[in-house]
Structures are given as C-alpha cells and as structure tokens.
Amino acid sequence: MSDAGYDKQQAREAGEIARLLSYVLILFASVGLFVSAMGIPTSRFEKLGAGAFPKIVFAGIALVAVIAIIDALRKIPAGAYGRFACQTVAWAKRRHLVFVVLGALAVYLLAIPLLGFQIASFLFILALELVLMPRRPATLLIAVAVAAVFSFGLNWLFAEVFTVFLPRGVL
Amino acid sequence: MDSFLSGAAQIFTLATLIYMLFGSLAGIIAAAIPGFTVTMAIVLTLPLTFTMEPLQGIAVMLSVYVGGYTGGLISAALLGIPGTPSSVATTFDAFPMARRGEPGRALSLGVWASFFGTIISTVVLIVAAPPLAMFAVKLGPWEYFSLIVFALTIVASLVGDSVIRGLLAGFIGLAISTVGTDPIMGRPRFDFGIEMLETGLPFLVVLIGIFAISQLTSEVEDAKSVRSGNALVTGAIDFQTWKVMKEVLLRPVNLIRSSIVGVLIGALPGAGGSIANLVAYDQAKRNSKDPESFGKGNPDGVVASEAGNSATAGGGLIPLIGLGIPGSAVDAILMASLMVHGISVGPRLIMDHADLVYGMFIAMAVASLMMLFVSVVSMRMFLRVAEVPKWLIVPVVMVCCVVGSFALNNRVTDLYLLGFIGVAGYALRALGYSLAPLVLGVILGPIAETNLRRALMTDGDPSLFFTRPISLIFLIAAVVSIAWAIRGHLKQRKTSGRSTDAPAS
C-alpha cells in the first residue's frame, strides 16, 4: 500500500469484526422475519401455505448465519475488538469519496420529484464531477458540457424519441 | 423450416440490422469502460427495447451482449484493467503483448477468438437447445424444484472467496424474492404496510441497485486514482486483420476446447463469462507444451480467455431456451425483456414461439459478425474510450441507472428503492459478500417456490423428490456441487491464503 500509516493485519481483523456484525444483524433479521412468516395464514387448498417457503428461506439464513458467527468468533483475536472503532474510522476516512457519492445520490433521488429530472440531474452530475475531477480549467468546461448533455439532453431523448417522460418536478 | 424463415425475415430487416449495429457498438464501448459490466450495458438497453417488436428487442440485446464480451478485451489489453469481470484472464497475456509493442495484434487476436468462440457456441446452442427443451417439458414440478436447488448451490460455490457468504447472499436473494404477494395464492407477505412493497421488489431495480450503483461507488474508493485521470497507452495500433485470423485458426485445439469450456460453463445456471474466462485460460495453460510463456504475452492465452468468455453467450442461452432458467444475470435480463412483451419463458418457448427462438439463433450469428465488423473498422476509436476518466463515468452512469429504473414503471418510489438497494449492495460488497448469488436468488426464488408448492399440491408425499429419478439426480448433483466447492475452498485456503473477492459479473 502506498499510503502507509495503517496496518493491513489490523484492518483485516476489523473487516472480520464488521462481517461478524453483519452476520449477527442478518441472524436477528431472519429470526424476526421467520416469526412474522408464521403469522401468514395458510390455505386449506394446499399443504404448504404462503408462509412455508419464506420460513424455509429464513431458517436457512439463520442456520448459515450461526455457522458464520461461530467461524468468525474463532478467527478474530481478542485484542481486535478494542481496535475496531478506530480501524472503522480509518477505513471510512480512506474511503471518504464513497460516502460523498452515496450522499450525493441520496440527495439527488430526493430532489428529483421537487426540482424535476433535468435540473436535479444537471446539479448532481456537475457537483459529483467537481468533487471527483482533477482541478484544471479545461476539465471544468468538459464537466459542464457533459452535465448538460446527460441531464437536458437525456430528458429530451427520452421524451421525444422513446416517449418516456421523466419527472418534471413541482417548481 | 417455416419458423426458421420467419425468424430470419424478422432479423434481416434494415431497421433491425441498424439497431443491432448500434447495439454492438454500444456493447463494445460500454464494456471497454472499466467499471461498466456487460450486465449493466444490457440493463441500460432494456428500457430502449420496450417499444420494439419482441425479436427485434432481443436481437439488439444479444448484439450488446456479444459486443460486450469483446469490449472488455480492449481495456484489458491496452490498460491491463479488465473492462468487465469476464476479461480478467485476458489481461494476463494480452496486456504484456500490448506492452511489448504489439497492441494491434493483441486486440486482433482477442477479437477473432471472440468471434469464433461465439460462432462455435451458437452452433452448439442450435444443436443442443431443442432436444433439451423437448426433454424439459416432460419434467414435473419435483424435477424443477430439484434443478433450482442444484442451480442455487452452483451459484454459491462458484462465486466469491467465501462459501458461507456466497450462501448467505444467495439466501438473502431468495428472501428478497418473497416480498410482495405470494405466487400461488396471491396473499400479501412482508409488505409492512408500505404500499411500495405490496407488489414485491421490482427485479430490475434490484439488479441495477445491486450491480451498478455498488460497482460505481466502489470505483471511487481510491481518491488518488480518481483525481489523477491520466491516459496510459500510446503507440500505433496495427490491426493485421487477416494475418491474425490465420494465426487464430492455426490453433484449432485451443480454440475449440476454450469454446466448449465457455459453452458448458455458460450453460450452468449462475456461472458466467467471468468464470469461463479463467477456466479456459487455466485449461490452455495446463495443456500447453510451454506453460512458462503464459503471462508473458503468449497468443494462446489471449485466444483461450477470449474464446472462453464469448462462448458463454451461446451457452447461457441453452438453459434459458431449453428450461426457462437464466444461465447468468444477463440471461435473466433477456428473460425479463421477453416477459415484458408478454412471452412466457420456459420449456414451451420453442414450441409456442419457434420463430422467436430461431430468430435468436440467427441474431447470435449476425451479432458476432457485427461485432467483428465494428471492431475492425473502429479499433482506433476504442483507444479513446478506454481513456474516459472515472470522474466523468461515475456520475453520468449513475444518472443513466436512475433513468433506467424510473422508465421501467414510471414510479418515483422505485428511485428511493434504487438508492436504498444501492447502499445495501455497496455495504454487502464492501463486506466481501459476492453479489451474483444474491441476484440469482432473486430470480430463482419464485421459480423454486412455485414448483415446490405445486409439487406438494399435486401429491402431498415429499419423498417423491427423492424417488423420481431425474429429481434425485439433480439433488445428488447439488450435494456434490457443495462438497466440491468446500473441498476447493479448503484447498485454496491451504495453498495461497486469502485472495481478494472476485467482482460480481
């Protein structure tokens, strides 16, 4: 790794703990959904009801999750749990752009019904480009052009050629 | 014969051929962009085919498919980055060859190998699909259920570095498929009073969210590489079209072996081009007299990897046409597009819509010719495409994903779902779950459930799953497949420690 300052072994251990947490979460969810599947009424016309297949699936998930939890607990050294929080923060810092992109996507999706597809897309593309691109004046021109083509242009293409009307917005 | 001619007549219209040409071009360009998989290219094509005739739509998507398997070669050879997961092994030899100063030869070898691979797989498809379909209509719900069980085990065992997480992902996919009304009695399930969930989670929104959004997000993980955005390859590209064609044809054993590997792997539900690419390469290396030269620009390596991944295109259609089971995520989208047109896919497809099936065969052959034509004519331009920096691709393709999800049902709520599934998909990806089993779980879940319940409605005796011979064979195959996967996994753990995750194809 070029950016030294973090320990690969510790990062891997933190990854294992994160996976362990995901297994636990999946286990709880599957048990909860299994219980709720028991409440689905059965029919007298068939042996298995509408709840049977989900019950099989959630039982399967729970079983595999338990195996996964046992396997993960075996692998993780005791000291790793204490380092988990700071490793997670370090991980999140290394991948800060991921959070920026996902955050921008969330805002964009919420803004579409308000601003309409064209304006929301233009702002979204341009904003993400500004965050991600190398800072040079020439790229700024390309960024604006691309944003315009894939917001206003795409809207025009879908409306005129495919007669699919993208959201117009309330403003 | 009538239906063959009718299929041919529908393909050989000017409009269809022009659409296919564009499809082929789009597939090649899309796959040449790193981070843009064949699957995504097809997903984005789907809304455009809604207004076309069924066969025309399928033909366009097949040309994107065939073109896409070739396009991955371009960035693999020129940049050493697999443009799609199905061209991972292509980088092993094509990139050293390009670096050695023969980029044209490397590309040309790959293009020709892809072309012959597709043609060989089409021939196998034409021979194998009809008898398989005839056989398949005799299967009852018991056999179908066991077959799906088998398909699910292959999914979990072939993808990713962890059997457990592969299984979990497959199960989560099955769980997602149970949301909404149940397929037999129409009872509401797991909608939690949310209107959006009452009809179930729309498959394509799940697919776009899981594959595209998570893939694009993972592209920006490394801030430095995103912000540099520089070009890598320079130098003249001399394509040497005919000389290289001879070179490829002078390796018939390798070409045919790799294509057969591709067809067989493509025909297995769940395994796709990314696996065929590696397996064909591995086979070529093992059978070579000079295995040392592999990885240093051996033409056999390029031929094997590209013939292998392209041959899965035809192979994947075998179970789709014969059994109504998609061989890969891409085939699932093809299946979805047929369903959009009101054509039910299953063993009866070849009887009820013979012209469509024959049309698909012809379209495959035509698509590979188009791919060849487009590649030869415009190789120079592709060099530019491989240079498109990530900072442009990520936001633009995300907007395309949003448009694709919205255009499907014209529902804004689908967009929220897309965002939610995209975040969940990225979380799963970051945690090392492979996403392909999840998507196949979503596809196979309703088929498994319907057949299981139908079987037990027909006859309440569950032992029939084990006493009907074909059903038993599938179940044994499922057990063997799991055992094989665990064995392979243990072996791999012993020899090389942990490898990184194979990206979802």
Side-chain angles (χ1 to χ4, degrees):
Chain A
M1 271 286 159
S2 53
D3 51 334
Y6 78 97
D7 185 341
K8 260 190 165 178
Q9 174 66 26
Q10 287 188 5
R12 195 176 305 135
E13 283 169 7
E16 286 295 337
I17 297 178
R19 278 185 205 118
L20 175 65
L21 289 177
S22 77
Y23 301 147
V24 173
L25 193 72
I26 290 172
L27 179 65
F28 279 125
S30 64
V31 171
L33 287 168
F34 183 88
V35 173
S36 100
M38 294 212 292
I40 298 173
T42 50
S43 153
R44 61 193 161 97
F45 298 110
E46 61 167 338
K47 199 173 174 186
L48 297 177
F53 185 75
K55 273 194 268 182
I56 298 174
V57 171
F58 291 121
I61 296 183
L63 184 74
V64 179
V66 168
I67 298 174
I69 289 172
I70 295 170
D71 187 48
L73 285 176
R74 222 163 31 89
K75 263 190 238 160
I76 302 168
Y81 296 97
R83 293 190 293 267
F84 179 62
C86 66
Q87 283 293 336
T88 308
V89 174
W91 176 85
K93 266 186 194 156
R94 279 199 302 279
R95 295 188 174 186
H96 64 278
L97 279 183
V98 167
F99 296 98
V100 172
V101 168
L102 287 178
L105 180 69
V107 173
Y108 169 50
L109 292 178
L110 291 173
I112 287 180
L114 290 175
L115 300 176
F117 173 81
Q118 302 191 71
I119 297 170
S121 303
F122 181 77
L123 295 177
F124 170 73
I125 299 181
L126 193 63
L128 259 196
E129 280 174 341
L130 290 177
V131 173
L132 299 177
M133 74 185 192
R135 312 280 154 80
R136 269 178 257 134
T139 50
L140 193 68
L141 271 178
I142 302 176
V144 174
V146 168
V149 167
F150 282 89
S151 52
F152 298 99
L154 208 59
N155 190 49
W156 175 85
L157 180 79
F158 269 76
E160 297 294 321
V161 182
F162 307 120
T163 56
V164 172
F165 297 97
L166 300 166
R168 282 193 189 159
V170 289
L171 300 180
Chain B
M1 195 60 198
D2 280 349
S3 23
F4 181 84
L5 289 176
S6 154
Q10 290 180 56
I11 294 291
F12 290 108
T13 58
L14 188 65
T16 311
L17 290 176
I18 290 176
Y19 280 134
M20 284 179 76
L21 189 68
F22 278 110
S24 189
L25 190 65
I28 296 177
I29 293 175
I33 303 171
F36 207 117
T37 61
V38 186
T39 315
M40 281 163 65
I42 301 232
V43 169
L44 295 179
T45 323
L46 181 63
L48 311 184
T49 64
F50 286 168
T51 51
M52 300 179 186
E53 292 291 308
L55 184 55
Q56 197 175 32
I58 286 286
V60 173
M61 290 170 78
L62 282 175
S63 20
V64 177
Y65 193 5
V66 172
Y69 271 131
T70 313
L73 155 78
I74 295 163
S75 50
L78 300 179
L79 309 176
I81 307 166
T84 65
S86 7
S87 49
V88 172
T90 312
T91 57
F92 300 164
D93 275 298
F95 184 54
M97 190 183 271
R99 269 289 147 99
R100 225 165 47 192
E102 295 180 297
R105 183 170 168 229
L107 284 178
S108 191
L109 270 175
V111 167
W112 279 107
S114 292
F115 172 71
F116 288 118
T118 315
I119 293 292
I120 292 172
S121 79
T122 309
V123 172
V124 177
L125 172 71
I126 293 172
V127 176
L132 188 66
M134 297 297 167
F135 167 73
V137 276
K138 299 200 178 95
L139 303 181
W142 300 271
E143 284 79 14
Y144 255 88
F145 177 73
S146 306
L147 174 66
I148 304 288
V149 171
F150 171 57
L152 280 171
T153 62
I154 290 186
V155 167
S157 59
L158 281 180
V159 187
D161 71 332
S162 157
V163 177
I164 285 191
R165 282 196 295 281
L167 275 174
L168 268 180
F171 269 124
I172 292 174
L174 289 177
I176 291 176
S177 79
T178 64
V179 175
T181 48
D182 94 272
I184 294 208
M185 305 304 257
R187 277 186 201 286
R189 297 188 299 200
F190 308 119
D191 56 14
F192 307 108
I194 303 169
E195 204 179 325
M196 184 168 85
L197 297 178
E198 273 171 17
T199 49
L201 300 174
F203 164 63
L204 280 164
V205 177
V206 173
L207 194 80
I208 296 177
I210 286 281
F211 273 120
I213 301 288
S214 73
Q215 171 74 47
L216 289 169
T217 314
S218 65
E219 288 298 329
V220 298
E221 276 171 6
D222 187 355
K224 270 185 201 160
S225 102
V226 175
R227 289 216 171 100
S228 60
N230 48 353
L232 282 174
V233 167
T234 47
I237 294 193
D238 182 8
F239 208 56
Q240 304 173 329
T241 314
W242 304 114
K243 196 177 142 204
V244 176
M245 183 189 84
K246 265 188 222 153
E247 196 181 342
V248 172
L249 285 177
L250 283 175
R251 307 170 194 275
V253 180
N254 183 5
L255 188 63
I256 291 175
R257 184 187 49 231
S258 308
S259 305
I260 298 293
V261 166
V263 170
L264 290 179
I265 291 182
L268 290 179
S274 48
I275 298 157
N277 179 247
L278 286 160
V279 173
Y281 182 85
D282 179 56
Q283 286 296 323
K285 189 175 174 182
R286 276 189 211 184
N287 290 299
S288 166
K289 284 179 192 137
D290 183 19
E292 300 289 301
S293 67
F294 274 74
K296 294 170 190 157
N298 188 325
D300 268 322
V302 184
V303 171
S305 49
E306 278 303 299
N309 71 13
S310 294
T312 55
L317 288 179
I318 294 175
L320 178 72
I321 292 174
L323 303 166
I325 295 169
S328 67
V330 174
D331 295 309
I333 306 162
L334 287 178
M335 195 165 148
S337 92
L338 284 175
M339 288 168 167
V340 167
H341 289 291
I343 295 165
S344 69
V345 183
R348 288 204 59 87
L349 180 70
I350 202 161
M351 289 167 223
D352 298 343
H353 299 281
D355 58 329
L356 188 83
V357 174
Y358 286 115
M360 281 166 85
F361 296 158
I362 300 166
M364 277 289 286
V366 174
S368 57
L369 273 174
M370 294 247 176
M371 178 278 289
L372 192 67
F373 173 74
V374 172
S375 310
V376 171
V377 170
S378 50
M379 249 324 154
R380 271 165 209 286
M381 190 200 76
F382 294 141
L383 201 60
R384 300 266 156 75
V385 174
E387 286 171 8
V388 174
K390 282 180 190 173
W391 62 266
L392 272 179
I393 292 172
V394 173
V396 165
V397 178
M398 270 191 179
V399 168
C400 293
C401 294
V402 167
V403 173
S405 316
F406 179 79
L408 202 63
N409 293 322
N410 287 323
R411 273 201 310 237
V412 175
T413 46
D414 279 358
L415 298 182
Y416 304 143
L417 195 66
L418 176 78
F420 182 75
I421 291 177
V423 172
Y426 178 73
L428 286 176
R429 189 191 197 95
L431 288 167
Y433 289 81
S434 46
L435 300 176
L438 192 152
V439 167
L440 280 136
V442 177
I443 300 160
L444 296 177
I447 310 178
E449 175 171 14
T450 311
N451 282 294
L452 175 67
R453 287 168 65 184
R454 202 173 276 159
L456 291 172
M457 273 166 111
T458 317
D459 190 328
D461 181 9
S463 69
L464 276 174
F465 287 106
F466 303 99
T467 50
R468 290 176 66 108
I470 298 172
S471 167
L472 181 67
I473 291 173
F474 285 136
L475 287 178
I476 292 175
V479 174
V480 170
S481 145
I482 289 192
W484 189 259
I486 293 176
R487 183 175 156 269
H489 187 64
L490 291 178
K491 228 180 182 178
Q492 188 195 344
R493 231 188 218 180
K494 255 184 215 163
T495 49
S496 62
R498 320 221 59 176
S499 60
T500 51
D501 265 3
S505 63

